[in-house]
Amino acid sequence: MRPLLGCLALATLLSPSLACPSPCSCSTKKNGRLLAECAYRELRDVPRGLSPNVTILTLSANRLGRLSRASLADVPELQSLWLGYNHIAAVEPGTFAALPQLKNLDLSHNRLADFPWQDLRNLSALQILKLSNNRLAGLPRGALHGLRELRSLWLNDNELTTLAPGTFEALPALAQLQLFHNPFNCSCKLFWLKEWADSTSAVISRAGSTLCAAPARLRGRAVTDIPGGLCNGTMAIPGFGKEDEGTYTCLAVNDVGTRDVSVNVALAGSGNPAEELPRDDPHAGQPGGHSCAKGDELDPSGMGEKLVIVYHVAGEARSGAAAAAGPRIRVGILLALGLLLLGW
Ligand SMILES: *[C@@H]1O[C@H](CO)[C@@H](O)[C@H](O)[C@H]1NC(C)=O
Ligand SMILES: *[C@@H]1O[C@H](CO)[C@@H](O)[C@H](O)[C@H]1NC(C)=O
Ligand SMILES: *[C@@H]1O[C@H](CO)[C@@H](O)[C@H](O)[C@H]1NC(C)=O
Ligand SMILES: *[C@@H]1O[C@H](CO)[C@@H](O)[C@H](O)[C@H]1NC(C)=O
């Protein structure tokens, strides 16, 4: 017994590459990669003393609460890091940046309200990023830029209400994206996502469960089905008729300043699309600061880009009360202008 223990101790001393902290079990895979298996151990911290040659580290289903730069400093060669089903609420910036070989990072089922996004800039080999089932409320603009190998991105079951335009651009390898179960606010600010979804070759898993939570009118509707009418300068004006077409000159005031704008308002459709259009955005409800007048003068610089297409909403309103229709049309145009001037 004693000589055997001695041999084991000697072997451990002589081959630090096989150093394996007691809660883990380590093995060399067929491809020569060193795996440290430390899942389901009730660990509160990443074990110290892992071999620097470990390339696969499983720490899933433990009780890790926080990761610091020091946590993974022993294992700079990591390619796969499995941290799912822990209690991780905080990750110190720089923790993952020191793992340039990382291909797979699983942080799903944790408590992250924030993530050190800037670390991703160092992870150019990253292929799989799982951040699902956390508490993320947003991604900074450009957070994922440069992840040229990223194939699979899981952001489902978080608290995302919106995403910046272009969030998923510059991800040439992206094949699968999960966004379902987030409380998306389907305002025009998110309309780009629908357009991107329509054009991307990536599979958006469970798109039918990727729903709007706001505005109330669109609650429960798929994000990939956001009606974009108002988002490109088209809008519904109740009671609008052919005879209301023309040029309207408006004075509009927003944060940037005051502008005189002429819009050419034309009838583009009929039926009842008003239900579909996101016309209750709060900005649209604030015509204060704007005033419009119908006229023949057209500001030449304002032509073209300021075209507002209006749907005719069939209804009794028009036939019954021509006098009442005037103010309503005016308000509608004010709303359209407000949006145009806000850059929507
Ligand atoms: C890591 O692996 C390399 C090559 O397989 C080997 O030469 C080296 O000794 C190992 N390093 C340690 C610290 O075990
Ligand atoms: C991350 O990348 C930057 C730029 O390439 C580099 O300066 C920095 O040292 C890297 N960070 C780590 C922790 O390796
Ligand atoms: C939805 O987004 C719009 C536009 O950014 C914003 O004004 C509104 O407050 C948001 N609604 C909710 C419920 O977050
Ligand atoms: C605006 O968007 C609607 C709905 O997506 C579309 O039918 C319409 O042609 C667009 N109008 C312009 C001017 O792009």
Side-chain angles (χ1 to χ4, degrees), residues 29 57 99 126 140 147-148 152 183 187 197 199 234 238 243 252 267 269 271 306 310 340:
K29 305 243 287 179
L57 176 57
L99 306 173
L126 199 63
L147 297 177
R148 300 197 63 80
S152 190
S187 72
S199 65
T234 304
E243 63 277 27
L267 183 68
K306 302 290 160 32
V310 179
L340 282 172

Side-chain angles (χ1 to χ4, degrees), residues 251-260 289-290 341:
L251 182 69
V253 182
N254 72 3
D255 328 341
V256 186
T258 304
R259 259 177 92 188
D260 237 338
H290 308 170
L341 293 169

Side-chain angles (χ1 to χ4, degrees), residues 69 93-100 118-123:
R69 280 163 173 264
T95 301
F96 301 126
L99 306 173
Q118 63 278 17
D119 281 26
L120 295 179
R121 306 228 168 249
N122 291 58
L123 303 188

Side-chain angles (χ1 to χ4, degrees), residues 143-194:
L144 306 168
H145 278 194
L147 297 177
R148 300 197 63 80
E149 305 292 325
L150 192 69
R151 285 193 276 114
S152 190
L153 175 62
W154 292 11
L155 290 167
N156 56 286
D157 293 277
N158 274 288
E159 291 168 20
L160 302 173
T161 56
T162 195
L163 289 165
T167 296
F168 306 120
E169 265 149 37
L171 301 176
L174 191 66
Q176 195 232 351
L177 174 64
Q178 298 191 176
L179 288 172
F180 52 86
H181 298 165
N182 276 292
F184 285 114
N185 177 352
C186 294
S187 72
C188 288
K189 286 189 175 154
L190 197 63
F191 185 63
W192 70 270
L193 182 59
K194 174 215 163 40

Side-chain angles (χ1 to χ4, degrees), residues 174-316:
L174 191 66
Q176 195 232 351
L177 174 64
Q178 298 191 176
L179 288 172
F180 52 86
H181 298 165
N182 276 292
F184 285 114
N185 177 352
C186 294
S187 72
C188 288
K189 286 189 175 154
L190 197 63
F191 185 63
W192 70 270
L193 182 59
K194 174 215 163 40
E195 294 187 306
W196 177 82
D198 287 345
S199 65
T200 185
S201 59
V203 172
I204 299 171
S205 303
R206 298 178 62 184
S209 302
T210 305
L211 304 177
C212 306
R217 210 170 14 77
L218 294 177
R219 188 174 297 139
R221 185 147 168 179
V223 168
T224 49
D225 195 23
I226 303 178
L230 192 61
C231 302
N232 60 6
T234 304
M235 68 174 306
I237 297 178
F240 192 89
K242 194 79 188 159
E243 63 277 27
D244 296 315
E245 285 189 333
T247 302
Y248 290 73
T249 302
C250 304
L251 182 69
V253 182
N254 72 3
D255 328 341
V256 186
T258 304
R259 259 177 92 188
D260 237 338
V261 187
S262 293
V263 283
N264 183 18
V265 182
L267 183 68
S270 59
N272 197 7
E275 288 300 304
E276 306 259 293
L277 299 173
R279 70 197 132 90
D280 65 351
D281 279 300
H283 288 306
Q286 309 292 330
H290 308 170
S291 64
C292 295
K294 190 175 178 186
D296 300 323
E297 297 271 315
L298 197 58
D299 168 10
S301 64
M303 285 186 72
E305 57 158 337
K306 302 290 160 32
L307 179 71
V308 177
I309 299 174
V310 179
Y311 288 96
H312 171 66
V313 178
E316 334 67 52

